[in-house]
Amino acid sequence: MAAEEQAKEVAQQVDVVAETSKVIDKVSNMDLNAVLHDWVIPYGTKILLAIAIFVIGKMLARGISKLLGKAALASTKDEMLQSFVTSISYFLFLLIVVIASLSQLGINTSSLVALIGAAGLAIGLSLQNSLQNFASGVMLLIFKPFRKGDLIETGGMTGVVEEMGLLVLELRTGDNKTVLIPNGKVFSDSIVNYSDNKTRRIDFTFDVSYESNLKEAKDVVARILADNELVLKHPAPIVAVGALAANCVQLVVRPWVKTADYWTAYWGITESVKLEFDKAGIVIPYNQMDIHISGNTASELNNELNK
């Protein structure tokens, strides 16, 4: 048996050598013009055309996607929609260019398209969260609850909208940190847009001691609001007693300002109220506890301390 196997191996090696020698003889006997005509020119032309299709197609894809993005910006005035349309259209056009280039090389693109579809289905099943974020991004662009540059609160974060990508929303917080929130979380969560309206109301609550003059305190606050240029006359600001708390009277103050002036007015009014209250002798109480001790208990406490 061992001799038969060795004989088969030797026979196979002889066949390989024979075939190799035939190929070498055929190549050595080939005419150079035949090689150029049958191989170099046809396949070289296909390769060059495929490269040309890819390069030119990529340039056209980039140019067309930018035009579509500009058209979206012109029709909606929404920079986030422009970025979204530009990105997705460039990806789709580039995919078409790649298929056209491979088709020029003689590759069966119909099977390739089927393969891409199957791969897309498999990837889609494995990336359900990413597809959810993508779909949420599309819905956010359609409903437009905010625009680039708006101050919003969503997903437990507050910041200025910098950009909305295919999968995430980029916010810049007040302390200049960049926060990325998945679009799915943004769309499923509540969205508070602080920049959508031109005016905002500031809600103050000032505590006034029961021993202080309440009417004078209201007059001081009303005068501060009237003298502040950032406070709007319409709607008129409100100064009223909100509650009689355990250790103070609570004044609720509701002035209206332009949205851009919100924090400047908030800080300025807060400081002015404190300074004017001090001038008028109006006390802003702080939490304290009064302990009353009966006579017998006081005597016993003194005796214990004197021991």
Side-chain angles (χ1 to χ4, degrees):
M1 294 295 295
E4 292 180 358
E5 291 180 357
Q6 291 179 357
K8 289 181 180 179
E9 291 179 359
V10 172
Q12 290 177 355
Q13 292 176 0
V14 170
D15 292 338
V16 170
V17 172
E19 291 295 331
T20 305
S21 61
K22 288 180 181 179
V23 172
I24 294 174
D25 293 338
K26 186 176 180 180
V27 171
S28 61
N29 295 328
M30 287 180 64
D31 187 6
L32 181 60
N33 292 329
V35 173
L36 291 175
H37 185 270
D38 295 338
W39 296 89
V40 176
I41 294 178
Y43 288 103
T45 303
K46 289 182 178 181
I47 293 173
L48 291 176
L49 286 176
I51 294 173
I53 290 174
F54 178 78
V55 173
I56 297 174
K58 186 177 180 181
M59 295 173 60
L60 290 175
R62 183 178 288 107
I64 295 174
S65 61
K66 288 183 178 179
L67 289 176
L68 292 175
K70 291 180 179 179
L73 178 63
S75 60
T76 62
K77 307 299 181 183
D78 192 339
E79 293 184 2
M80 292 191 302
L81 180 61
Q82 177 193 17
S83 177
F84 181 84
V85 170
T86 301
S87 300
I88 194 66
S89 59
Y90 176 71
F91 174 77
L92 293 176
F93 285 131
L94 187 60
L95 181 61
I96 295 174
V97 169
V98 171
I99 293 175
S101 300
L102 295 177
S103 177
Q104 178 61 38
L105 291 175
I107 298 175
N108 187 359
T109 54
S110 59
S111 59
L112 179 62
V113 171
L115 180 61
I116 292 175
L121 178 61
I123 293 173
L125 293 175
S126 61
L127 299 176
Q128 294 183 18
N129 292 334
S130 298
L131 291 178
Q132 179 185 0
N133 292 329
F134 176 80
S136 299
V138 174
M139 299 301 292
L140 289 172
L141 288 172
I142 293 175
F143 290 104
K144 299 178 183 177
F146 50 79
R147 297 177 181 272
K148 184 176 181 179
D150 285 354
L151 176 64
I152 68 170
E153 178 182 349
T154 184
M157 301 298 301
T158 301
V160 176
V161 178
E162 289 290 309
E163 184 178 357
M164 193 181 76
L166 298 178
L167 301 178
V168 297
L169 172 69
E170 180 179 337
L171 295 182
R172 177 171 50 82
T173 62
D175 53 353
N176 204 30
K177 292 187 295 187
T178 299
V179 180
L180 300 179
I181 306 176
N183 289 337
K185 185 175 181 180
V186 176
F187 188 70
S188 61
D189 196 5
S190 60
I191 301 173
V192 180
N193 191 333
Y194 295 105
S195 303
D196 195 40
N197 298 314
K198 295 181 179 180
T199 59
R200 285 185 64 185
R201 190 185 73 184
I202 307 178
D203 294 346
F204 292 106
T205 300
F206 297 115
D207 295 340
V208 178
S209 171
Y210 278 105
E211 288 76 19
S212 299
N213 190 322
L214 179 60
K215 185 178 184 305
E216 184 179 2
K218 292 178 63 177
D219 292 340
V220 168
V221 175
R223 184 173 66 253
I224 291 173
L225 298 180
D227 294 340
N228 194 311
E229 297 179 352
L230 300 180
V231 176
L232 301 177
K233 306 303 179 183
H234 301 284
I238 297 174
V239 180
V241 176
L244 301 177
N247 62 340
C248 66
V249 178
Q250 293 182 345
L251 286 182
V252 292
V253 181
R254 301 291 186 263
W256 287 81
V257 297
K258 293 181 179 179
T259 300
D261 299 330
Y262 181 89
W263 287 111
T264 303
Y266 183 95
W267 294 324
I269 293 172
T270 303
E271 181 178 355
S272 297
V273 168
K274 176 62 171 71
L275 295 176
E276 293 300 320
F277 275 11
D278 290 344
K279 291 180 182 179
I282 299 171
V283 178
I284 300 176
Y286 50 87
N287 292 331
Q288 58 184 354
M289 180 182 295
D290 294 333
I291 301 177
H292 301 277
I293 303 176
S294 63
N296 293 333
T297 305
S299 300
E300 294 175 358
L301 182 60
N302 288 330
N303 293 332
E304 291 294 331
L305 292 175
N306 291 330
K307 289 182 179 180

